[in-house]
Amino acid sequence: MTYEKIYDIVKQKFSGVYLNRFIHMEGVVKMALRLNEHHGLNLNPEKVKLAGLLHDYAKIIKISELEEVIRKEYSGELLENILEVPATYHSFAGAYYIKRDFNIDDEEILDAVIYHTTGKKDMAPLTKLIFISDYIEEGRNFESALIARQVAFEDLDLAVVKVYELGIKKVQKANQKLFKGTEAIYKYYLERMNLKNWNC
Ligand SMILES: [Fe+2]
Ligand SMILES: [Fe+2]
């Protein structure tokens, strides 16, 4: 299926009350394409567009249905960790739906969709790009997004650190549950950048 065809289907599906979500998904496509170009990443633009557009494809599906998919697709400790944080369901179940509806089996695209909420250690370039773009696309105009956006055009790895830092703070402030291992991943990126702590 071509990108244009997929775009039309997604647009149709996300019309009406879901329009803002669609605008966000388009925002991620635009930001990811810009960063790909700006940093000379040379990622296939078609893949960047698909990962950006489809990263939140499962966001409008009922949480109980997402949970069912997750229980089928994951097991062990990872399953336990996912089940603790419903906000991650649409990303971990997302791959299932885009495979089912669009026949997408490209591992890089699927990985980018699955990890766009939590990120992970040693992210592949496309996964990193979507992880950052999701936080900083132009529609996100809260202050931390503006800070992270500035960093993203300077250095993508620093942007990963920043997105984690800001994301962890936000979850803690809201008294929500942090996805297990997130602080360890944040530390891993800090150490990789030779940073002890970072606040800009
Ligand atoms: Fe999402
Ligand atoms: Fe998103």
Side-chain angles (χ1 to χ4, degrees):
M1 218 185 281
T2 63
Y3 177 77
E4 284 67 31
K5 177 87 188 137
I6 293 174
Y7 178 91
D8 287 344
I9 295 171
V10 175
K11 190 174 182 180
Q12 182 67 34
K13 217 168 178 147
F14 284 75
S15 57
V17 287
Y18 301 122
L19 184 62
N20 280 345
R21 179 59 44 185
F22 184 74
I23 292 169
H24 160 69
M25 286 145 88
E26 272 192 311
V28 173
V29 171
K30 280 184 209 143
M31 181 54 72
L33 285 173
R34 264 176 76 191
L35 289 172
N36 185 33
E37 183 96 17
H38 180 84
H39 291 292
L41 300 180
N42 277 325
L43 295 174
N44 178 337
E46 202 70 10
K47 282 199 193 189
V48 173
K49 288 196 286 186
L50 282 170
L53 182 74
L54 297 172
H55 82 279
D56 272 344
Y57 182 65
K59 188 97 180 182
I60 60 174
I61 294 164
K62 269 205 311 218
I63 203 89
S64 55
E65 191 185 320
L66 292 176
E67 187 183 328
E68 232 175 86
V69 169
I70 284 160
R71 286 185 185 278
K72 274 191 209 134
E73 299 280 308
Y74 298 91
S75 60
E77 211 188 319
L78 180 57
L79 173 64
E80 295 308 314
N81 294 344
I82 298 169
L83 290 175
E84 281 188 1
V85 189
T88 68
Y89 288 9
H90 72 285
S91 41
F92 285 106
Y96 166 85
Y97 290 99
I98 68 173
K99 261 191 256 177
R100 187 195 72 178
D101 295 356
F102 306 114
N103 252 325
I104 290 173
D105 57 5
D106 182 291
E107 289 299 331
E108 288 173 339
I109 296 173
L110 298 178
D111 193 80
V113 171
I114 291 171
Y115 292 99
H116 82 264
T117 310
T118 62
K120 62 176 173 177
K121 287 181 184 171
D122 203 20
M123 279 184 266
L126 183 61
T127 304
K128 193 192 292 181
L129 193 64
I130 300 302
F131 175 75
I132 296 169
S133 301
D134 187 28
Y135 196 88
I136 65 162
E137 57 95 359
E138 292 289 338
R140 308 279 214 200
N141 41 30
F142 42 92
E143 203 196 337
S144 56
L146 305 183
I147 297 168
R149 192 181 305 151
Q150 212 173 2
V151 177
F153 281 91
E154 287 158 24
D155 188 308
L156 281 181
D157 288 323
L158 271 184
V160 169
V161 173
K162 201 70 203 165
V163 171
Y164 271 113
E165 184 193 302
L166 296 166
I168 290 169
K169 268 189 203 156
K170 189 177 155 231
V171 170
Q172 285 171 343
K173 212 173 152 191
N175 249 327
Q176 288 166 341
K177 203 163 177 97
L178 197 60
F179 188 75
K180 198 165 172 213
T182 300
E183 275 159 326
I185 303 172
Y186 170 56
K187 260 197 194 142
Y188 159 89
Y189 280 107
L190 270 180
E191 279 164 18
R192 217 169 80 158
M193 299 296 298
N194 276 325
L195 294 166
K196 285 222 161 36
N197 213 318
W198 192 50
N199 278 299
C200 74

